[in-house]
Amino acid sequence: MWAKIFACAGLALTFFALPKITSAQGNELTGISALIQQGKLQEAEQRLHRYLLRSPHSAKANNLLGIVHLRQGHFEQAEDALQKAIAAAPALLESRLNLGDAYLAEGKLGSAMSAYQGAAEIAPHDARANLALAKLYLGKEEFAKSIEAAGNIPPQKRTAELLPTLAANYLGLRQQEKADVEIQTMLQVAQKQPDLVPELAEFFLAHRDFQSSQQLLALAQSKQPSTDRFLVDLARTQAGLGQLDEAQKTLETVLERTPESVDALVAAGNVAGQQSDWAASGEAFSRANQLAPDRPDILYGLVSARLYGRQVDEALKNAQKLHSLTPDDLRSTYLLALALFGARQREEAKHYADQVLTEHADDREMHLILVDVALNDEHNLAVARKHVDMCLKQNPADPGALYYLGMIQKMEGDLDAAVRSLSKSVVGNAKNANAQSELGALCLQAGDLARAVPTLEQAVLLAPEEAQNHYQLALAYSRSGVPEKAKAQLEIYQRIKAKEAQDAKRLKGPHQ
């Protein structure tokens, strides 16, 4: 998540400023600081560990070690080193600022706020602390506090980096004229500082104000280089406006010149998802995940793409990883419940579905999971009907709920009611193979061959791997006087059953 957070907050890894080393600390820390500046992080880390064996409470050395871990992306280790630096020298400003950066990188925004506030108490007018606070307050939509933090920076220390934050704050406070001044200043320096406009565009995108983002990017297009960040934000804007083909072309331009652009891959995954191209969506998120492992925002997209693409094993593996990273995030719990259900681990799916429903009692998908568990595992029709009723209360035409209602009615012996419910279900979702199969079987049982045949044909088309669909269709063809078709379906049925038996034998092994 850290790359996205830094992009949205407008902070850069160059913020991990190196402290000035005094002559009293000797040449060793000065040399290590130079190694960090040169990007020789492994060598710097090794030397710092040796130094800390001799001087474990050195605030400067622990601060440098924290910087090394930050640049390596080892944020928990960075936290540990920086906290030791602060414990050794509570007034050391750099350590508090770097600790704020570490928390921000991990998405711990509350802890980052506290760290930067601690830095501001030591140095009330420090530009770096107040800029970070201004951006964090903006993220919380506390616009007046954000402006106040920005105002704590002395005029001579203010940089153009503050402009998008001020513009966004004034827009949030509906002070359009003040916002326009900041935007015009941004446009004047956009050629040399091309990240300013995208940062403000991302504020609009976060609030789903795609029109304002489009207007801003159009104004800036001739005034600044088309950086990857600019084009990714343009693509996100186009996608938000429903211009999916244009968004796809824009992202292709980015990925042709920067194939490893994680932000472009994430945007491409989202655009492909909007187009219901789940294979392309999964591929984009998978590539992004390889380049930036364990980023929750990427895993959210990857799990969703795998679920929609019916890649059950991949969906479950990534959902479990996501939940381990964000166990308190209800979205990850929701996706894990769906992935477990897709993998037919219904009892575990029920556990997580119950967790979601404690916070969102009306969630349709979680109720449907519990319906399925109640029907197939617990055989509790009363509980199943309770969850179906919750769904139908929200939407009487819900095709998924109507399918399960039909199944309950079938189990209760009310076949006419079951046919009516299943008929409504397939009207709402003609691609539900289970509903088509159950409806076709009931029509066949009732002797309604005119309806049974096309319904079972549709079930076979949707789920050709299900042996029972072919068997039911063979019966329907036979009773309709079409023995050749019946024979063909029966042969398919027998091939599938033979393969299932062979697979089962292989799984058991030769000695069982």
PDB file of all heavy atoms in Angstrom, residues 334-345:
ATOM      1  N   TYR A 334     -14.911  -9.854   3.881  1.00  0.00           N
ATOM      2  CA  TYR A 334     -15.967 -10.087   2.885  1.00  0.00           C
ATOM      3  C   TYR A 334     -15.422 -10.919   1.722  1.00  0.00           C
ATOM      4  O   TYR A 334     -16.024 -11.934   1.318  1.00  0.00           O
ATOM      5  CB  TYR A 334     -16.468  -8.736   2.393  1.00  0.00           C
ATOM      6  CG  TYR A 334     -17.470  -8.765   1.280  1.00  0.00           C
ATOM      7  CD1 TYR A 334     -18.832  -8.872   1.541  1.00  0.00           C
ATOM      8  CD2 TYR A 334     -17.064  -8.657  -0.053  1.00  0.00           C
ATOM      9  CE1 TYR A 334     -19.758  -8.876   0.510  1.00  0.00           C
ATOM     10  CE2 TYR A 334     -17.989  -8.671  -1.083  1.00  0.00           C
ATOM     11  CZ  TYR A 334     -19.334  -8.782  -0.796  1.00  0.00           C
ATOM     12  OH  TYR A 334     -20.247  -8.800  -1.816  1.00  0.00           O
ATOM     13  N   LEU A 335     -14.268 -10.519   1.196  1.00  0.00           N
ATOM     14  CA  LEU A 335     -13.696 -11.243   0.060  1.00  0.00           C
ATOM     15  C   LEU A 335     -13.253 -12.646   0.459  1.00  0.00           C
ATOM     16  O   LEU A 335     -13.381 -13.589  -0.330  1.00  0.00           O
ATOM     17  CB  LEU A 335     -12.511 -10.462  -0.516  1.00  0.00           C
ATOM     18  CG  LEU A 335     -12.868  -9.183  -1.292  1.00  0.00           C
ATOM     19  CD1 LEU A 335     -11.609  -8.431  -1.674  1.00  0.00           C
ATOM     20  CD2 LEU A 335     -13.691  -9.507  -2.531  1.00  0.00           C
ATOM     21  N   LEU A 336     -12.755 -12.793   1.681  1.00  0.00           N
ATOM     22  CA  LEU A 336     -12.355 -14.122   2.139  1.00  0.00           C
ATOM     23  C   LEU A 336     -13.568 -15.035   2.258  1.00  0.00           C
ATOM     24  O   LEU A 336     -13.503 -16.220   1.893  1.00  0.00           O
ATOM     25  CB  LEU A 336     -11.624 -14.025   3.480  1.00  0.00           C
ATOM     26  CG  LEU A 336     -11.113 -15.349   4.066  1.00  0.00           C
ATOM     27  CD1 LEU A 336     -10.210 -16.084   3.077  1.00  0.00           C
ATOM     28  CD2 LEU A 336     -10.383 -15.105   5.380  1.00  0.00           C
ATOM     29  N   ALA A 337     -14.681 -14.510   2.742  1.00  0.00           N
ATOM     30  CA  ALA A 337     -15.905 -15.317   2.829  1.00  0.00           C
ATOM     31  C   ALA A 337     -16.333 -15.795   1.445  1.00  0.00           C
ATOM     32  O   ALA A 337     -16.675 -16.973   1.250  1.00  0.00           O
ATOM     33  CB  ALA A 337     -17.024 -14.499   3.475  1.00  0.00           C
ATOM     34  N   LEU A 338     -16.306 -14.902   0.464  1.00  0.00           N
ATOM     35  CA  LEU A 338     -16.687 -15.275  -0.903  1.00  0.00           C
ATOM     36  C   LEU A 338     -15.723 -16.309  -1.488  1.00  0.00           C
ATOM     37  O   LEU A 338     -16.149 -17.261  -2.149  1.00  0.00           O
ATOM     38  CB  LEU A 338     -16.722 -14.038  -1.796  1.00  0.00           C
ATOM     39  CG  LEU A 338     -17.831 -13.018  -1.535  1.00  0.00           C
ATOM     40  CD1 LEU A 338     -17.658 -11.809  -2.453  1.00  0.00           C
ATOM     41  CD2 LEU A 338     -19.211 -13.650  -1.740  1.00  0.00           C
ATOM     42  N   ALA A 339     -14.421 -16.117  -1.241  1.00  0.00           N
ATOM     43  CA  ALA A 339     -13.431 -17.041  -1.789  1.00  0.00           C
ATOM     44  C   ALA A 339     -13.560 -18.429  -1.159  1.00  0.00           C
ATOM     45  O   ALA A 339     -13.469 -19.452  -1.850  1.00  0.00           O
ATOM     46  CB  ALA A 339     -12.027 -16.488  -1.575  1.00  0.00           C
ATOM     47  N   LEU A 340     -13.767 -18.479   0.142  1.00  0.00           N
ATOM     48  CA  LEU A 340     -13.962 -19.768   0.811  1.00  0.00           C
ATOM     49  C   LEU A 340     -15.211 -20.465   0.302  1.00  0.00           C
ATOM     50  O   LEU A 340     -15.227 -21.676   0.091  1.00  0.00           O
ATOM     51  CB  LEU A 340     -14.051 -19.556   2.324  1.00  0.00           C
ATOM     52  CG  LEU A 340     -12.735 -19.233   3.034  1.00  0.00           C
ATOM     53  CD1 LEU A 340     -12.993 -18.666   4.418  1.00  0.00           C
ATOM     54  CD2 LEU A 340     -11.856 -20.483   3.124  1.00  0.00           C
ATOM     55  N   PHE A 341     -16.262 -19.694   0.099  1.00  0.00           N
ATOM     56  CA  PHE A 341     -17.501 -20.270  -0.419  1.00  0.00           C
ATOM     57  C   PHE A 341     -17.289 -20.819  -1.821  1.00  0.00           C
ATOM     58  O   PHE A 341     -17.739 -21.920  -2.156  1.00  0.00           O
ATOM     59  CB  PHE A 341     -18.606 -19.215  -0.416  1.00  0.00           C
ATOM     60  CG  PHE A 341     -19.926 -19.729  -0.903  1.00  0.00           C
ATOM     61  CD1 PHE A 341     -20.675 -20.602  -0.127  1.00  0.00           C
ATOM     62  CD2 PHE A 341     -20.413 -19.347  -2.144  1.00  0.00           C
ATOM     63  CE1 PHE A 341     -21.898 -21.086  -0.577  1.00  0.00           C
ATOM     64  CE2 PHE A 341     -21.637 -19.829  -2.594  1.00  0.00           C
ATOM     65  CZ  PHE A 341     -22.383 -20.692  -1.815  1.00  0.00           C
ATOM     66  N   GLY A 342     -16.559 -20.058  -2.642  1.00  0.00           N
ATOM     67  CA  GLY A 342     -16.264 -20.529  -3.997  1.00  0.00           C
ATOM     68  C   GLY A 342     -15.450 -21.805  -3.986  1.00  0.00           C
ATOM     69  O   GLY A 342     -15.586 -22.643  -4.882  1.00  0.00           O
ATOM     70  N   ALA A 343     -14.596 -21.971  -2.963  1.00  0.00           N
ATOM     71  CA  ALA A 343     -13.778 -23.175  -2.842  1.00  0.00           C
ATOM     72  C   ALA A 343     -14.519 -24.296  -2.113  1.00  0.00           C
ATOM     73  O   ALA A 343     -13.918 -25.324  -1.789  1.00  0.00           O
ATOM     74  CB  ALA A 343     -12.487 -22.844  -2.094  1.00  0.00           C
ATOM     75  N   ARG A 344     -15.786 -24.072  -1.844  1.00  0.00           N
ATOM     76  CA  ARG A 344     -16.670 -25.040  -1.192  1.00  0.00           C
ATOM     77  C   ARG A 344     -16.232 -25.353   0.243  1.00  0.00           C
ATOM     78  O   ARG A 344     -16.515 -26.427   0.767  1.00  0.00           O
ATOM     79  CB  ARG A 344     -16.770 -26.330  -2.018  1.00  0.00           C
ATOM     80  CG  ARG A 344     -17.324 -26.059  -3.413  1.00  0.00           C
ATOM     81  CD  ARG A 344     -17.651 -27.323  -4.167  1.00  0.00           C
ATOM     82  NE  ARG A 344     -18.199 -27.012  -5.485  1.00  0.00           N
ATOM     83  CZ  ARG A 344     -18.668 -27.906  -6.335  1.00  0.00           C
ATOM     84  NH1 ARG A 344     -18.643 -29.191  -5.999  1.00  0.00           N
ATOM     85  NH2 ARG A 344     -19.144 -27.549  -7.502  1.00  0.00           N
ATOM     86  N   GLN A 345     -15.565 -24.407   0.838  1.00  0.00           N
ATOM     87  CA  GLN A 345     -15.249 -24.512   2.265  1.00  0.00           C
ATOM     88  C   GLN A 345     -16.316 -23.727   3.021  1.00  0.00           C
ATOM     89  O   GLN A 345     -16.081 -22.645   3.561  1.00  0.00           O
ATOM     90  CB  GLN A 345     -13.841 -23.987   2.535  1.00  0.00           C
ATOM     91  CG  GLN A 345     -12.762 -24.772   1.811  1.00  0.00           C
ATOM     92  CD  GLN A 345     -11.364 -24.255   2.080  1.00  0.00           C
ATOM     93  OE1 GLN A 345     -11.084 -23.695   3.145  1.00  0.00           O
ATOM     94  NE2 GLN A 345     -10.469 -24.435   1.119  1.00  0.00           N
TER      95      GLN A 345
END
